[in-house]
Amino acid sequence: MSEQQSPLCAVEDIPEGGCKGFTLAPRSTVFAVRKEDEVHIYLNACPHAGLELNWMPDRFLDRDKEFILCTAHGAMFEISSGRCIAGPCAGKSLTPVAHSVEDGQIYLQI
Ligand code: FES
């Protein structure tokens, strides 16, 4: 089966050091974090209890914008790897979403 590319948004739509959530389909959401000119995209499902990480739209980071934060029980994840470094799912990881960036546009590989 061949891979398809689905446009998500422009890199510029995500503020540097910030993040943005996307609804792909009912009950299928992802979020993207832009940091140091890289874009990291994960499924919006916490490995602890499977809940969405955010309670507020486009809020996925801690106050200092150093870690991804799950607001349900406070798990913290590395932005670059998605690995949980503190909280009830320490050692587990967010699920990365394959993507590419071409001409300033982000494409999901589905
Ligand atoms: S569901 Fe994320 S820490 Fe519990």
Side-chain angles (χ1 to χ4, degrees), residues 83-105:
R83 194 173 68 89
C84 180
I85 50 99
C89 47
K92 294 186 178 178
S93 295
L94 297 168
T95 303
V97 177
H99 64 280
S100 61
V101 177
E102 293 171 29
D103 296 328
Q105 183 74 36

Side-chain angles (χ1 to χ4, degrees), residues 45-53 69-77 84 86-89 94:
C46 181
H48 174 222
L51 302 175
E52 291 192 342
L53 281 80
L69 176 68
C70 179
T71 46
H73 309 105
M76 297 177 77
F77 303 85
C84 180
C89 47
L94 297 168

Side-chain angles (χ1 to χ4, degrees), residues 19-110:
C19 54
K20 192 170 176 60
F22 300 89
T23 299
L24 305 181
R27 291 194 224 152
S28 175
T29 59
V30 301
F31 65 96
V33 183
R34 183 176 164 203
K35 185 166 185 178
E36 294 165 4
D37 278 337
E38 289 202 39
V39 176
H40 308 276
I41 305 176
Y42 298 101
L43 293 183
N44 187 7
C46 181
H48 174 222
L51 302 175
E52 291 192 342
L53 281 80
N54 62 317
W55 287 347
M56 304 278 288
D58 301 325
R59 290 276 198 90
F60 295 91
L61 300 178
D62 68 341
R63 195 178 308 156
D64 296 332
K65 300 187 174 181
E66 277 190 50
F67 296 98
I68 295 164
L69 176 68
C70 179
T71 46
H73 309 105
M76 297 177 77
F77 303 85
E78 293 177 332
I79 291 173
S80 60
S81 70
R83 194 173 68 89
C84 180
I85 50 99
C89 47
K92 294 186 178 178
S93 295
L94 297 168
T95 303
V97 177
H99 64 280
S100 61
V101 177
E102 293 171 29
D103 296 328
Q105 183 74 36
I106 302 169
Y107 295 90
L108 299 184
Q109 288 157 356
I110 53 175

Side-chain angles (χ1 to χ4, degrees), residues 3-16:
E3 227 171 47
Q4 288 188 323
Q5 292 200 338
S6 172
L8 184 67
C9 70
V11 172
E12 293 298 319
D13 293 339
I14 307 167
E16 171 56 36

